[in-house]
Amino acid sequence: MNHRSYTDQTQSPLPRRHFMSSLGSGLAGISLASLLQEEAQASGHHPPTGQPHFRPKAKSVIWLFMRGGVSHMESFDPKPMLTKYEGKSISETPWKDVQDPEKLKKVRVVVVNDANGQQRNKIYPLQVGYKKYGESGIEVSDWFPHIGGCVDDISIVRSMWTTDDNHGAQVQFHSGRHMLDGRVPTIGAWVNYGLGTLNQNLPQFINMGPRFFDVRDGHYLGPAYDSVPLKVDPKNPLPYAKPELDLSHREQQIEFSLVNQLNQLSAEQYPNDTTLQARMKSYELAFRMQTAVPEVIRFDQETKETQDLYGLNNPETKPFGMQLLAARRFVEKGVRFIQIMHGPGAAGAWDSHSNLQKSHSKLANQVDQPAAGLLKDLKRRGLLKDTIVVFATEFGRTPGSQGSNGRDHHPYGFSIWMAGGGLKGGVAHGATDELGFHAVEKPHYVTDVHATLMKQLGLNARLLEVPGHKRIEMDFGHPIDEIIA
């Protein structure tokens, strides 16, 4: 086909430069990243084979991240002593040693004398009640009753800690490195790097929801390992999945064919240009994704009962519920890692320096039913055994009050939970002290969560090192074996 016959068939000539530009900045540009991964592996540039290092217990991860810092004391780690000693200073309690300077050394301050990230000394009482759930009798706050109802399928880790006292801890939880250390690949990127795709028509690593501080994942691994950003919007679910111009399916096929022929001419001149080869394949993947991705977000294919399970019938729970229902559908189609960020703003909505009761109760209401609905739906479909769900946040909140009714950032001890993928249910692992200040029993740095995921996915992180980029011991973490079935 020559250029003349192309324009004759479409009746809408499109200059090659404009077409290439529009493709490169749209879906094809995104899919190019996925194809670059395959090209890099095929060329021997990267060592992974796309196969697990040992027999995996899980295939996929759904990563739910609450941006801003969820109060561990008002979610999954009840501390009645806060109410008992309300209004007292920490030094007036039996646990005044929690502020021993030696115990506070692990935190690295980015901005000295910042208004936030300070220790708060006046004890602030619990702002919510607790209730025991399930056969395990684990206590969960009244703000999370639906998640509480699933507690027998959940492992709660109450002894997390990190070293960043400000919102760079969002980056640290995903990468394992402090903001002062520079950027390194995230856990999603490492999974993307180590494992092959399960579906050639879909991206392997997806992000939904807001990101700040660092919006990349691959870093020295390259853009092939960044997440593909998706937005679940019923009116316009995937803006970049549509062609820039009003073209029919047949017209797009013709355009892709033309560009492929032009690129083939370039390939003959530059046979060793792997990037060009990858870009050629990326256009093909982009074309497939235009159909495959929107098809996954067809919620009208779900029963009303399933939609209600995720809270799609409630305007408060619908936005997060749609993301989680999309995550389940993506997992069914073979997507490896789905990362969902909750809470807008640079700091994140969970950053309750004031009005904690009002803000946390509202935010918990947004995520509680959808998260529980996801667990129930995965379980009844037989998908929970192969899928790990993580519910995490960057740090906790201070036992002491900030102002009259808020809590400050607290990196010394906080809670997360995980479920599925060969993990135990009905477990409350680790502990903070009676004030919820320090992780004192079986403490876990954030990369221990990464290591647990890697083990269940059948990956040995030490075999994924890249020449020229030495990883430190803290990067690898240690699997939390006590919560592994």
Coordinates of all heavy atoms in Angstrom, one line a residue, residues 47-80:
P47 N 18.5 -9.9 33.2 CA 18.6 -11.3 33.4 C 17.3 -12.1 33.6 O 17.3 -13.3 33.4 CB 19.5 -11.4 34.7 CG 19.2 -10.0 35.3 CD 19.0 -9.0 34.2
P48 N 16.2 -11.5 34.1 CA 15.0 -12.3 34.4 C 14.5 -13.1 33.2 O 14.5 -12.6 32.1 CB 14.0 -11.3 34.9 CG 14.7 -10.1 35.3 CD 15.9 -10.0 34.4
T49 N 14.0 -14.3 33.5 CA 13.4 -15.1 32.4 C 11.9 -14.9 32.3 O 11.3 -15.5 31.4 CB 13.7 -16.6 32.7 OG1 13.1 -17.0 34.0 CG2 15.2 -16.8 32.8
G50 N 11.4 -14.2 33.3 CA 9.9 -14.1 33.3 C 9.2 -15.3 34.0 O 8.0 -15.3 34.2
Q51 N 10.1 -16.2 34.6 CA 9.5 -17.3 35.3 C 9.9 -17.2 36.8 O 10.9 -16.6 37.1 CB 10.1 -18.6 34.8 CG 9.8 -18.9 33.3 CD 8.3 -19.1 33.2 OE1 7.6 -19.8 34.0 NE2 7.8 -18.5 32.1
P52 N 9.0 -17.7 37.7 CA 9.4 -17.6 39.1 C 10.6 -18.4 39.4 O 11.0 -19.3 38.7 CB 8.1 -18.3 39.8 CG 7.0 -18.2 38.8 CD 7.7 -18.3 37.5
H53 N 11.3 -18.0 40.5 CA 12.6 -18.8 40.9 C 12.2 -20.1 41.6 O 13.0 -21.0 41.6 CB 13.4 -17.9 41.8 CG 13.9 -16.6 41.1 ND1 13.7 -15.4 41.7 CD2 14.5 -16.4 39.9 CE1 14.2 -14.4 40.9 NE2 14.7 -15.0 39.8
F54 N 11.1 -20.1 42.2 CA 10.6 -21.3 42.8 C 9.1 -21.3 42.8 O 8.5 -20.3 42.4 CB 11.1 -21.4 44.3 CG 10.9 -20.2 45.1 CD1 9.7 -19.9 45.8 CD2 11.9 -19.2 45.2 CE1 9.6 -18.8 46.6 CE2 11.7 -18.0 45.9 CZ 10.6 -17.8 46.6
R55 N 8.5 -22.4 43.2 CA 7.0 -22.6 43.0 C 6.3 -21.5 43.8 O 6.4 -21.4 45.0 CB 6.6 -23.9 43.5 CG 5.1 -24.2 43.2 CD 4.7 -25.6 43.6 NE 3.3 -25.9 43.3 CZ 2.8 -27.1 43.5 NH1 3.5 -28.1 43.9 NH2 1.5 -27.3 43.2
P56 N 5.5 -20.7 43.1 CA 4.8 -19.6 43.8 C 3.5 -20.1 44.4 O 2.9 -21.1 44.0 CB 4.4 -18.6 42.6 CG 4.3 -19.5 41.4 CD 5.3 -20.6 41.6
K57 N 3.0 -19.3 45.4 CA 1.7 -19.5 46.0 C 0.7 -18.5 45.6 O -0.5 -18.6 45.9 CB 1.8 -19.5 47.5 CG 2.7 -20.7 48.1 CD 2.7 -20.6 49.6 CE 3.5 -21.7 50.2 NZ 3.6 -21.7 51.7
A58 N 1.2 -17.4 44.9 CA 0.3 -16.4 44.4 C 0.7 -15.9 43.0 O 1.9 -16.1 42.6 CB 0.4 -15.2 45.4
K59 N -0.2 -15.4 42.3 CA 0.1 -14.9 40.9 C 0.0 -13.4 40.8 O 0.7 -12.8 39.9 CB -1.0 -15.5 40.0 CG -0.9 -17.0 39.8 CD -2.0 -17.5 38.9 CE -2.0 -19.0 38.7 NZ -3.1 -19.5 37.8
S60 N -0.8 -12.8 41.6 CA -1.1 -11.3 41.5 C -1.2 -10.6 42.8 O -1.4 -11.3 43.8 CB -2.4 -11.1 40.7 OG -2.4 -11.7 39.4
V61 N -1.0 -9.3 42.8 CA -1.1 -8.5 44.0 C -2.1 -7.3 43.7 O -2.0 -6.7 42.7 CB 0.3 -7.9 44.4 CG1 0.1 -7.0 45.6 CG2 1.2 -9.1 44.7
I62 N -3.0 -7.1 44.6 CA -3.8 -5.9 44.6 C -3.4 -5.0 45.9 O -3.5 -5.4 47.0 CB -5.3 -6.2 44.7 CG1 -5.7 -7.0 43.5 CG2 -6.1 -4.9 44.8 CD1 -7.2 -7.4 43.5
W63 N -2.7 -3.9 45.6 CA -2.1 -3.1 46.6 C -2.9 -1.9 46.9 O -3.0 -1.0 46.0 CB -0.7 -2.7 46.1 CG 0.2 -1.8 46.9 CD1 0.1 -0.5 46.9 CD2 1.3 -2.2 47.7 NE1 1.1 0.0 47.7 CE2 1.9 -1.1 48.2 CE3 1.9 -3.5 48.0 CZ2 3.0 -1.1 49.0 CZ3 3.0 -3.5 48.8 CH2 3.5 -2.3 49.3
L64 N -3.5 -1.8 48.1 CA -4.4 -0.7 48.4 C -3.6 0.2 49.4 O -3.2 -0.2 50.5 CB -5.7 -1.1 49.1 CG -6.4 -2.3 48.4 CD1 -7.6 -2.7 49.2 CD2 -6.8 -1.9 47.0
F65 N -3.3 1.5 49.0 CA -2.5 2.4 49.8 C -3.3 3.6 50.2 O -3.7 4.4 49.4 CB -1.2 2.7 49.0 CG -0.1 3.3 49.9 CD1 0.6 2.5 50.7 CD2 0.1 4.7 49.9 CE1 1.6 3.0 51.5 CE2 1.1 5.2 50.7 CZ 1.9 4.3 51.5
M66 N -3.4 3.8 51.5 CA -4.1 4.9 52.1 C -3.1 6.1 52.3 O -2.3 6.0 53.2 CB -4.7 4.5 53.4 CG -5.6 3.3 53.4 SD -7.0 3.4 52.3 CE -6.6 2.3 51.0
R67 N -3.2 7.1 51.4 CA -2.2 8.2 51.4 C -2.5 9.2 52.5 O -3.6 9.6 52.7 CB -2.2 8.9 50.1 CG -1.8 7.9 48.9 CD -1.8 8.6 47.6 NE -0.9 9.8 47.6 CZ -1.3 11.0 47.6 NH1 -2.6 11.3 47.7 NH2 -0.4 12.0 47.6
G68 N -1.5 9.5 53.3 CA -1.6 10.5 54.4 C -1.3 10.0 55.7 O -0.9 10.8 56.6
G69 N -1.5 8.7 56.0 CA -1.1 8.1 57.3 C -2.4 7.8 58.1 O -2.9 8.7 58.8
V70 N -2.8 6.5 58.1 CA -4.0 6.1 58.9 C -3.6 5.9 60.3 O -2.5 5.4 60.6 CB -4.5 4.8 58.3 CG1 -5.7 4.3 59.2 CG2 -4.9 4.9 56.9
S71 N -4.4 6.4 61.2 CA -4.1 6.2 62.7 C -4.3 4.7 63.0 O -5.4 4.2 62.9 CB -5.1 7.0 63.5 OG -5.0 6.7 64.9
H72 N -3.2 4.1 63.4 CA -3.2 2.7 63.8 C -4.0 2.5 65.0 O -4.7 1.4 65.1 CB -1.8 2.1 63.9 CG -0.9 2.9 64.9 ND1 -0.6 4.2 64.6 CD2 -0.3 2.6 66.0 CE1 0.2 4.7 65.6 NE2 0.4 3.7 66.5
M73 N -4.0 3.4 65.9 CA -4.8 3.3 67.2 C -6.3 3.3 66.9 O -7.1 2.8 67.7 CB -4.4 4.4 68.2 CG -3.0 4.3 68.7 SD -1.9 5.3 67.7 CE -2.5 6.9 67.9
E74 N -6.7 3.9 65.9 CA -8.2 4.0 65.6 C -8.6 3.2 64.4 O -9.6 3.4 63.8 CB -8.6 5.5 65.3 CG -8.9 6.2 66.6 CD -7.8 7.3 67.0 OE1 -6.8 7.4 66.3 OE2 -8.0 7.9 68.1
S75 N -7.8 2.2 64.1 CA -8.1 1.3 63.0 C -7.9 -0.2 63.4 O -8.9 -0.9 63.6 CB -7.3 1.6 61.7 OG -5.9 1.6 62.0
F76 N -6.7 -0.6 63.5 CA -6.4 -2.1 63.7 C -5.5 -2.4 64.9 O -5.1 -3.5 65.1 CB -5.8 -2.6 62.5 CG -6.6 -2.4 61.2 CD1 -6.2 -1.4 60.3 CD2 -7.8 -3.0 61.0 CE1 -6.9 -1.2 59.2 CE2 -8.6 -2.7 59.9 CZ -8.1 -1.8 59.0
D77 N -5.3 -1.4 65.8 CA -4.4 -1.6 67.0 C -4.9 -0.8 68.2 O -4.4 0.3 68.5 CB -2.9 -1.1 66.6 CG -1.9 -1.5 67.7 OD1 -2.3 -2.3 68.6 OD2 -0.8 -1.0 67.6
P78 N -5.9 -1.3 68.8 CA -6.6 -0.6 69.9 C -5.6 -0.3 71.1 O -4.9 -1.2 71.5 CB -7.7 -1.5 70.3 CG -7.3 -2.9 69.9 CD -6.5 -2.7 68.7
K79 N -5.7 0.9 71.6 CA -4.8 1.3 72.8 C -5.7 2.0 73.8 O -5.7 3.2 73.9 CB -3.7 2.2 72.3 CG -2.7 1.5 71.3 CD -2.0 0.3 72.0 CE -1.2 -0.4 71.0 NZ -0.6 -1.6 71.6
P80 N -6.4 1.2 74.7 CA -7.2 1.8 75.7 C -6.5 2.7 76.7 O -7.1 3.5 77.3 CB -7.9 0.6 76.4 CG -7.0 -0.6 76.0 CD -6.4 -0.3 74.7

